[in-house]
Amino acid sequence: IDSLAIQAGISLQNAFLVKEIVEKERLAEELRLGRDIQMSLLPKELPKLSGLLISGLMLPAKEIGGDYYDFITLPKQDELAIAIGDVSGKGVAAGLLMAMAKTAIHTLSQESRSPKEVLLRTNQILYQHIGGQKFMTMLYFHYKASEKAIYYSSAGHEHILIYHAKTDSVESIISGGFMLGMLKDIDSYLEEHKITLEPKDKILLYTDGVTDAENTQGERYSLDRLKGSFKTNSSKATFEKIHAIKTEVYEFIATQPQYDDITLVGMEAG
């Protein structure tokens, strides 16, 4: 009887282990599929536009994240919308919110709305569905080749970095605004601004997965390091520049696991 009980116990334990392994494999497969879907929502080709070179990259962390960037062709010729955003938290919920925001931004950008109006309407859509349970930061740019200028509005996103070719200096602009999805109406929090580009001026946009990346000593990569890297690599082509910055971030974190998505968007005035 004892031997039968021991054998039954072992069989039961093995059954639990097999079930646990199958469940882990299922969850891993779901995460992989979720990340594949997340990556498929990013731009598949770079826009060709008069007076502006542009490139972007997103490197997901292990979990499904909520980073987002997009280049959106607008109805008017030689105009382009550029968006970058970051959903709070990780997992399936963050990925779904990112997808919802992308759909809203794509639709609203075709309706001749100002950057502030696009963010206000996107906020209403997200709040209607999530009711403040999560939030998303975002920068929305509207580039007009005829003016060599960018009109933009920010919903609590990271700084905008501008490399001024004439002075060989990097300017850091606080984006401002208020996150999307937390309040029903954020009109009083949002503003609209204009950036006029001189030839060879460059812009760098990023998510906090870059500046908050930690090394093995617990130090953060920081905004100052990012500004330094941006200036050091300013002479490189747009695509090469953001990849050089990405490489420096990974060299900084070394063996430390990447806990957040890393997203970079670079622009250069022609």
Side-chain angles (χ1 to χ4, degrees), residues 42-56:
L42 301 177
K44 295 184 175 52
E45 57 184 37
L46 299 178
K48 294 183 175 69
L49 199 69
S50 172
L52 190 73
L53 299 172
I54 190 164
S55 189

Side-chain angles (χ1 to χ4, degrees), residues 152-226:
Y152 75 90
S153 188
S154 171
H157 199 69
E158 307 300 317
H159 291 57
I160 300 165
L161 301 185
I162 305 177
Y163 172 79
H164 297 285
K166 279 187 178 178
T167 57
D168 186 32
S169 61
V170 174
E171 178 186 8
S172 176
I173 299 174
I174 297 173
S175 298
F178 194 85
M179 305 88 72
L180 305 177
M182 290 292 289
L183 299 174
K184 188 175 182 180
D185 182 14
I186 57 172
D187 185 278
S188 61
Y189 296 98
L190 300 192
E191 298 177 350
E192 197 163 303
H193 300 281
K194 179 182 178 181
I195 298 171
T196 303
L197 299 171
E198 299 289 336
K200 302 301 178 184
D201 280 358
K202 299 168 179 69
I203 293 176
L204 183 68
L205 308 179
Y206 61 96
T207 56
D208 63 4
V210 178
T211 48
D212 288 349
E214 290 187 1
N215 64 13
T216 51
Q217 286 77 48
E219 297 174 306
R220 294 186 176 184
Y221 186 72
S222 78
L223 179 58
D224 284 340
R225 283 191 177 91
L226 181 60

Side-chain angles (χ1 to χ4, degrees), residues 22-33:
V22 169
E23 181 65 14
K24 282 183 178 179
E25 287 177 350
R26 185 186 67 80
L27 288 172
E29 179 64 12
E30 284 187 6
L31 285 173
R32 187 187 66 76
L33 286 171

Side-chain angles (χ1 to χ4, degrees), residues 241-258:
K241 178 166 52 262
I242 61 172
H243 277 267
I245 293 169
K246 176 262 294 183
T247 299
E248 289 186 22
V249 173
Y250 273 94
E251 287 174 350
F252 174 80
I253 64 177
T255 56
Q256 187 77 350
Q258 180 188 335

Side-chain angles (χ1 to χ4, degrees), residues 91-108:
V92 175
L96 288 172
L97 186 57
M98 184 271 268
M100 192 188 305
K102 175 190 170 72
T103 303
I105 291 289
H106 261 263
T107 302
L108 295 167

Side-chain angles (χ1 to χ4, degrees), residues 97-169:
L97 186 57
M98 184 271 268
M100 192 188 305
K102 175 190 170 72
T103 303
I105 291 289
H106 261 263
T107 302
L108 295 167
S109 64
Q110 305 302 311
E111 299 176 0
S112 299
R113 297 171 182 262
S114 70
K116 180 179 176 179
E117 289 172 335
V118 169
L119 291 187
L120 284 174
R121 184 70 185 112
T122 301
N123 176 72
Q124 290 170 355
I125 293 167
L126 296 185
Y127 183 82
Q128 182 182 348
H129 288 90
I130 62 174
Q133 295 178 54
K134 294 185 78 65
F135 65 85
M136 182 176 194
T137 68
M138 185 172 287
L139 262 170
Y140 181 89
F141 280 27
H142 183 159
Y143 171 73
K144 297 185 179 182
S146 59
E147 300 179 32
K148 293 184 178 177
I150 290 171
Y151 295 84
Y152 75 90
S153 188
S154 171
H157 199 69
E158 307 300 317
H159 291 57
I160 300 165
L161 301 185
I162 305 177
Y163 172 79
H164 297 285
K166 279 187 178 178
T167 57
D168 186 32
S169 61

